[in-house]
Amino acid sequence: MTKRQLFSKLWLWHSAFALLALLGCVPILWPQVFLPDAWEARIISYSGGLVLGAGLASLLLLLGSSFLLLLRLNNLRTLGQLLVWGGIWSLAGLIFGIFAWVANVPRPGAETTTADPIQRTDTLYNPDDHLTGPRSLVIPISLDSAPRTTISPAPHLRLLEKEHPELLHRYITSSPRWAIYTTDDTFYAKPGHVVMVPPTSGGIPGLVHVAFRRLVEGEPLPADYTRVKPGDPMPAAREGSEQVADLAVDLGQDYYLLLAWRGTSHTDTAHRALNAALSAVDSLVQPLAESPDPATLDSLLNGQSSTAGSTPELRLCQPPAQYGTYQAEIYANPQEAGSLVLRIEDLETHTTLRIFTSQARFSDNADELFRHDIPGALSDFIRSQSHVGLPGLLPTQAPFFVVRLGESHQFFGVALEVTFSPASKLKPSRVLLRRNYRVQAYETHGTPPHPAPTTTPEVKTPPAAPAAAEAPTPAHPGPTAAQAAEPRPTPTTAPHSTPC
């Protein structure tokens, strides 16, 4: 074989090296298919060496052949060698990408290990997880495109108020996040109302407190609110105060949207946050405005019931400026009928503070997790029995709960443990989740009491509800020997990924 023939066949060598590299990737991408467990680590290391060796051999062959061609002053053939080598390895990279997509390999930098849903450390997490259900009282907003000189248009709210007022009324009075404060002018000082949170940068600049208010038969506007319509100029600050005006946005007929900014006196930030909050509420009802029917209303009230995933997850959130009140979401799929039980335990005394039960949602799909809201729709009986010593504290069907009464800003550690109890009494219960949080008590001083719920006669077994319900706290037998032997957790705060 002449030197010319040798150089003309170099593409075959590069192709062979690329093929060897691709073959070496197969056991790396699919170890569970091709490798026994005992040999997995060793063969993967050999395969990695094969991929690296094939790539280096091809590169050295390219450099050597290019050097010889340059000595012969054959620049054109050198360029051709480079193009052929780049084309072959680009094709190999494309094939590897297809292999990786088929094997469902995580993207570079992504979490490669599944977190254990049962926490086995003493770390205390902050209760600022992001909740996604329709009961969540915390809604993030963006100020990027929010106007600052005029009131946002809110077309979907106005359309519903004008053409489908009965649907808008049903949505507001049926949604746990809105139904509590439709007649309260000072809702922003009480727990259980919606808070819009702007982006944080060195601390939250402020909050927008939001509620619907219905005015009929000539009722006056709430005190200290400025009546505006979508599209109006933004009103000036209150006379004698740097605080921007609280807005009562007229939606066209009976309903107003009350927006109260509490935070920095920076006018531009406050006005944009108010408009961003109005636009966020308008976006919430957009599906109902586009499809005004009972099915859409039910979908809006219930939210997305499931999400993709296989590892159970617990989320706990304390709404900003509503100290000592909490909301939680459990994402789980036990794949059989039964009940989820959430028990909140004081880590210092090992006493049970709260117990919630929920009829478990499930399916045969192991990669689907169902959302369970805590608290859900609590019956009068369950609420009156479980909140012993808390008469009249919580409004009926409140979308939040308290861990215990006491002084706010006095923090303590709790463990939230989720247990699944199968419907079949022949099957044992099993723990799905456990996570520790740093929480605080709810202080009732200065908080007007809510109407006490009606107490119904005691029954042995309250009926199961599709949403979460709080059950009476049973007598706790105290820690087991194993629990007593465990070291007490130290109150440390762990980093969190997503602010609520």
Side-chain angles (χ1 to χ4, degrees):
M1 180 182 293
T2 64
K3 292 182 179 181
R4 176 180 293 274
Q5 291 175 329
L6 178 63
F7 280 114
S8 65
K9 301 295 184 182
L10 285 178
W11 68 271
L12 291 175
W13 288 96
H14 292 307
S15 300
F17 288 133
L19 182 60
L20 283 176
L22 288 174
L23 291 176
C25 291
V26 171
I28 297 176
L29 294 175
W30 290 282
Q32 70 278 10
V33 176
F34 296 98
L35 304 179
D37 292 340
W39 299 353
E40 181 176 325
R42 179 174 297 180
I43 294 182
I44 286 179
S45 65
Y46 290 159
S47 299
L50 176 63
V51 173
L52 180 62
L56 288 177
S58 178
L59 179 62
L60 291 175
L61 181 60
L62 171 70
L63 294 176
S65 60
S66 298
F67 179 73
L68 291 177
L69 290 173
L70 287 175
L71 289 179
R72 295 169 174 266
L73 301 179
N74 199 335
N75 298 333
L76 187 60
R77 296 194 64 184
T78 302
L79 179 61
Q81 291 284 346
L82 291 173
L83 292 177
V84 169
W85 183 85
I88 291 172
W89 283 99
S90 296
L91 180 60
L94 177 62
I95 296 174
F96 172 79
I98 296 174
F99 284 178
W101 176 75
V102 173
N104 195 24
V105 176
R107 60 179 174 80
E111 189 77 23
T112 56
T113 59
T114 302
D116 189 349
I118 301 176
Q119 183 179 333
R120 306 183 190 277
T121 65
D122 293 337
T123 302
L124 299 183
Y125 292 89
N126 288 323
D128 47 14
D129 301 326
H130 177 56
L131 309 186
T132 59
R135 292 174 173 265
S136 175
L137 298 175
V138 183
I139 302 177
I141 55 176
S142 173
L143 309 185
D144 293 340
S145 59
R148 58 184 179 86
T149 57
T150 59
I151 305 297
S152 293
H156 305 105
L157 283 168
R158 299 187 70 186
L159 177 63
L160 284 172
E161 176 74 334
K162 179 181 179 181
E163 298 185 5
H164 307 283
E166 72 290 344
L167 279 179
L168 180 61
H169 177 69
R170 286 177 56 192
Y171 167 67
I172 294 172
T173 56
S174 301
S175 173
R177 64 167 35 138
W178 303 116
I180 299 177
Y181 293 113
T182 56
T183 60
D184 196 325
D185 300 344
T186 59
F187 68 95
Y188 48 79
K190 299 172 184 175
H193 66 273
V194 173
V195 179
M196 304 282 186
V197 183
T200 61
S201 178
I204 299 176
L207 303 169
V208 183
H209 304 265
V210 188
F212 281 98
R213 180 66 187 272
R214 192 181 193 189
L215 302 178
V216 294
E217 299 179 359
E219 288 184 72
L221 280 174
D224 299 326
Y225 281 85
T226 302
R227 178 181 179 273
V228 294
K229 291 184 177 181
D232 286 354
M234 184 68 71
R238 300 172 183 172
E239 185 176 353
S241 171
E242 295 182 355
Q243 184 69 42
V244 299
D246 293 340
L247 304 182
V249 182
D250 187 353
L251 301 181
Q253 294 187 31
D254 296 338
Y255 271 108
Y256 288 75
L257 187 66
L258 305 184
L259 303 172
W261 167 261
R262 297 293 180 268
T264 177
S265 58
H266 188 263
T267 304
D268 182 75
T269 300
H271 286 172
R272 291 171 65 197
L274 289 168
N275 273 324
L278 175 57
S279 298
V281 178
D282 189 68
S283 298
L284 287 177
V285 300
Q286 181 178 351
L288 189 60
E290 295 175 348
S291 300
D293 53 60
T296 306
L297 176 62
D298 290 341
S299 175
L300 203 60
L301 293 174
N302 296 324
Q304 183 178 344
S305 62
S306 65
T307 185
S310 58
T311 303
E313 183 180 356
L314 172 67
R315 301 177 185 177
L316 182 69
C317 181
Q318 175 184 255
Q322 302 179 44
Y323 306 115
T325 66
Y326 298 94
Q327 296 181 290
E329 291 177 352
I330 299 171
Y331 288 85
N333 181 6
Q335 296 183 268
E336 61 177 312
S339 300
L340 296 180
V341 180
L342 170 62
R343 184 172 67 92
I344 304 178
E345 178 190 75
D346 189 313
L347 286 174
E348 183 176 358
T349 63
H350 293 284
T351 57
T352 299
L353 302 175
R354 286 286 178 268
I355 288 183
F356 295 87
T357 62
S358 173
Q359 181 178 339
R361 297 173 173 175
F362 66 96
S363 72
D364 295 331
N365 185 1
D367 294 322
E368 182 179 26
L369 297 175
F370 290 90
R371 191 192 81 248
H372 303 79
D373 299 318
I374 306 293
L378 307 185
S379 68
D380 285 343
F381 162 73
I382 295 176
R383 180 178 294 282
S384 63
Q385 295 297 315
S386 60
H387 289 150
V388 177
L390 310 180
L393 174 65
L394 304 182
T396 304
Q397 308 301 331
F400 66 93
F401 63 93
V402 300
V403 176
R404 74 179 182 197
L405 298 183
E407 295 183 11
S408 61
H409 306 293
Q410 297 296 318
F411 296 93
F412 57 97
V414 294
L416 277 68
E417 185 176 270
V418 179
T419 303
F420 174 70
S421 298
S424 173
K425 301 302 181 183
L426 301 178
K427 297 181 179 179
S429 300
R430 62 181 186 268
V431 177
L432 300 181
L433 290 159
R434 182 182 172 90
R435 190 170 172 88
N436 301 336
Y437 284 95
R438 178 176 179 262
V439 300
Q440 59 181 307
Y442 178 72
E443 187 170 352
T444 59
H445 176 69
T447 302
H450 296 282
T454 303
T455 303
T456 59
E458 184 173 353
V459 294
K460 292 184 178 180
T461 305
E470 190 172 4
T473 301
H476 185 55
T480 62
Q483 290 174 324
E486 292 179 355
R488 296 287 175 85
T490 55
T492 57
T493 302
H496 49 275
S497 57
T498 309
C500 70

